Amino acid sequence: SGDLSFVNWKKLANKYLELWNTTKPILLECSPPEIQAPEKLVKAFPSYSVKFILLVRGDCTIRRSDSHDMVSAGYANVLEKYPETFVIRYEDLCLRWQEVYEHLILWEPLLKDVNIDGVPKKTSTWKHFSTTSVREYCLKAVQKWAIPKEINGFDMDVHPFAK
């Protein structure tokens, strides 16, 4: 994991709490670089039950091995320290959404309102902010993958997102 000794964890927690709507039952931060030090994130939010969901990619979606290795090391650290972490393979998210969703709500029932067709409201000027739903993104991504016609009897031409 990377050196995060420079991070003021109390200040970081206060910043997140300013940005989050703390009246909601779940407070979510996507891709915090601080994931490299999960124990410090947990400690920074003593009033909350901190859980981790990791989105990992398989070989058919990886483009740069150097960044993949760095992410893998960070994720391994999280899994080692918090084995109850929920791991979602990107391919499963796109190809088997319903099954992933069912497992996700068993793991954390408060996530039952997750909507794969939901479109985020434009609340950010961040250049990578997207107003594309997960379903739309997955449909586009799957078209670029080299996927066999059939995997374990599952016909890949009958896409689970097709309406």
Side-chain angles (χ1 to χ4, degrees):
S1 63
D3 176 23
L4 296 175
S5 59
F6 63 91
V7 175
N8 179 330
W9 293 94
K10 184 166 180 58
K11 187 175 177 182
L12 176 78
N14 288 336
K15 185 63 178 174
Y16 279 135
L17 292 171
E18 280 176 29
L19 298 171
W20 287 329
N21 178 349
T22 57
T23 65
K24 299 282 185 177
I26 292 185
L27 309 176
L28 177 69
E29 181 58 34
C30 300
S31 304
E34 304 84 19
I35 193 73
Q36 299 173 58
E39 69 286 353
K40 299 214 185 237
L41 277 174
V42 169
K43 193 174 177 182
F45 298 97
S47 304
Y48 296 89
S49 171
V50 177
K51 293 182 174 183
F52 299 100
I53 298 174
L54 301 179
L55 180 63
V56 299
R57 292 176 178 242
D59 291 336
C60 73
T61 58
I62 295 170
R63 290 183 174 73
R64 293 188 337 245
S65 63
D66 58 333
S67 65
H68 176 64
D69 291 344
M70 182 183 73
V71 169
S72 295
Y75 284 4
N77 185 41
V78 174
L79 290 168
E80 181 180 305
K81 293 176 178 160
Y82 298 92
E84 68 281 2
T85 295
F86 193 86
V87 179
I88 302 172
R89 243 177 24 110
Y90 179 66
E91 295 82 359
D92 290 331
L93 177 67
C94 289
L95 297 172
R96 289 172 273 293
W97 162 249
Q98 190 62 40
E99 184 179 338
V100 169
Y101 174 72
E102 289 167 8
H103 287 267
L104 184 65
I105 60 173
L106 284 173
W107 177 77
E108 177 49 75
L110 290 172
L111 293 171
K112 70 182 180 304
D113 294 331
V114 169
N115 178 0
I116 195 164
D117 292 310
V119 177
K121 293 182 180 121
K122 182 74 173 168
T123 58
S124 172
T125 58
W126 186 51
K127 67 179 180 177
H128 298 292
F129 188 86
S130 173
T131 55
T132 302
S133 74
V134 172
R135 183 186 307 270
E136 290 175 276
Y137 184 80
C138 283
L139 283 170
K140 290 176 187 174
V142 168
Q143 293 171 11
K144 297 177 183 178
W145 297 344
I147 298 176
K149 179 159 177 49
E150 187 177 299
I151 298 177
N152 296 331
F154 181 77
D155 183 355
M156 300 308 286
D157 288 336
V158 182
H159 196 282
F161 285 173
K163 290 187 176 183

